[in-house]
């Protein structure tokens, strides 16, 4: 009896997937993932997908005020969807290659150490991404390969190089650095955010976070910086009025 209900459940899940696919096809919704090692136009559009956009707001407790909500900066969007690569001819599927041809193309994209791009027709989604997780399996003796895919937004740092990848249509990721940068210490942001702002463009991306945290700790230890202070950040230190506030 349990096997019977299990079979009914599988059939119901398959029917739901097929109906979702048919609805996607009627709406002209086509999923395409492209990268340095080729592209995949999914022959069976996922029945649904989910995009998550974090904004990194932070609750801070201020003496005499209590909790306040500090507005954060936008985080990296993530996206998840699942479907299958058909080994059989289905009326609802687009003409398809062998299932493991798709599997191998996605694996090569994930291992290329270059960003890919996800596009969904009929929506505003056209996003550079990294492939965070790719799981696949066979489950019903048809040869169809079921998969789930997790993607994360890849953010390019301006200015970009002028060289464009011919496959993805995206420019190279480079980091701009300057010899000297001036910022004004205001109360509009949290001290850690202001420390981060002072470090931007003065060193490599790898070192910016570390230096911002070190500068923030030095600020707290010294008792703070007066509002309106003009800071000068170089590759060696943060200064004010010729005096070094923090050295790297």
């Amino acid at each position: 009896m349990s096997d019977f209900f299990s079979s009914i459940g599988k059939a119901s899940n398959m029917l739901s997937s097929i109906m979702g696919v048919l609805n996607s096809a009627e709406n002209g919704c086509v999923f395409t993932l492209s990268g340095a090692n080729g592209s995949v136009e999914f022959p069976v559009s996922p029945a649904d997908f989910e995009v998550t956009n974090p904004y990194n707001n932070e609750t801070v407790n201020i003496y005499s005020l209590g909790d306040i909500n500090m507005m954060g900066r936008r985080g990296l969007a993530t996206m998840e969807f699942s479907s299958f690569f058909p080994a059989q001819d289905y009326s609802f599927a687009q003409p398809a290659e062998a299932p493991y041809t798709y599997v191998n193309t996605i694996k090569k994209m994930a291992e290329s150490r270059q960003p890919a791009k996800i596009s969904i027709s009929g929506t505003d989604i056209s996003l550079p991404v990294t492939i965070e997780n790719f799981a696949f399996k066979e489950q019903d003796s048809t040869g169809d390969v079921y998969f789930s895919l997790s993607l994360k937004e890849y953010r390019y740092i301006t200015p970009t190089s002028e060289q464009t990848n011919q496959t993805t249509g995206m420019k190279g990721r480079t980091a701009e650095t300057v010899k000297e940068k001036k910022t004004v210490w205001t109360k509009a942001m949290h001290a850690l955010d202001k420390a981060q702002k002072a470090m931007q463009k003065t060193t490599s991306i790898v070192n910016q976070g570390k230096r911002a945290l070190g500068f923030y700790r030095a600020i707290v230890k010294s008792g703070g910086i007066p509002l309106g202070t003009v800071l000068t950040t170089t590759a060696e230190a943060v200064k004010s009025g010729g005096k070094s506030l923090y050295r790297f």
Side-chain angles (χ1 to χ4, degrees), residues 51-235:
V51 178
T52 301
N53 291 286
Y55 293 101
N56 298 321
N57 296 332
E58 180 183 2
T59 300
V60 178
N61 186 273
I62 304 293
Y63 181 73
S64 81
L65 289 179
D67 287 350
I68 62 172
N69 194 12
M70 303 294 295
M71 300 295 289
R73 293 185 180 274
R74 184 176 71 84
L76 298 175
T78 58
M79 180 178 183
E80 295 183 359
F81 60 85
S82 59
S83 184
F84 70 97
F85 300 122
Q88 313 295 319
D89 290 329
Y90 297 108
S91 60
F92 54 81
Q94 301 178 47
E97 302 181 59
Y100 284 98
T101 299
Y102 293 109
V103 168
N104 290 331
T105 299
I106 294 175
K107 287 174 65 178
K108 287 179 181 178
M109 276 192 270
E111 297 166 8
S112 70
R113 298 182 62 81
Q114 295 187 46
K117 183 179 181 181
I118 183 69
S119 300
I120 305 177
S121 64
T123 75
D124 63 353
I125 294 176
S126 181
L127 190 69
V129 294
T130 55
I131 298 172
E132 298 297 301
N133 189 59
F134 176 49
F136 58 90
K137 65 179 180 179
E138 294 188 37
Q139 64 183 28
D140 50 19
S141 302
T142 61
D144 296 341
V145 175
Y146 294 80
F147 72 88
S148 61
L149 192 61
S150 299
L151 308 173
K152 180 180 287 187
E153 177 185 2
Y154 183 87
R155 186 171 295 167
Y156 286 86
I157 302 169
T158 56
T160 54
S161 71
E162 295 303 316
Q163 195 168 19
T164 303
N165 184 288
Q166 296 300 314
T167 302
T168 63
M170 297 181 291
K171 294 183 178 180
R173 177 174 174 155
T174 59
E176 177 188 27
T177 59
V178 295
K179 293 183 178 180
E180 184 177 287
K181 176 184 178 181
K182 292 186 181 296
T183 53
V184 179
W185 196 263
T186 67
K187 66 178 182 179
M189 296 186 296
H190 187 272
L192 183 55
D193 291 329
K194 288 186 281 189
Q196 177 67 41
K197 183 178 180 181
M199 298 303 139
Q200 289 175 352
K201 300 184 180 181
T202 60
T203 185
S204 66
I205 300 300
V206 175
N207 291 328
Q208 282 181 18
K210 180 180 178 181
R211 291 186 175 184
L213 185 58
F215 183 36
Y216 171 70
R217 288 172 176 167
I219 294 167
V220 174
K221 187 176 181 180
S222 67
I225 295 176
L227 298 179
T229 300
V230 177
L231 304 178
T232 301
T233 307
T234 66

Side-chain angles (χ1 to χ4, degrees), residues 25-45:
E26 290 175 359
N27 294 329
C29 190
V30 178
F31 287 61
T32 304
L33 183 68
S34 57
N37 294 90
S39 65
V40 170
E41 185 173 300
F42 294 91
V44 180
S45 294

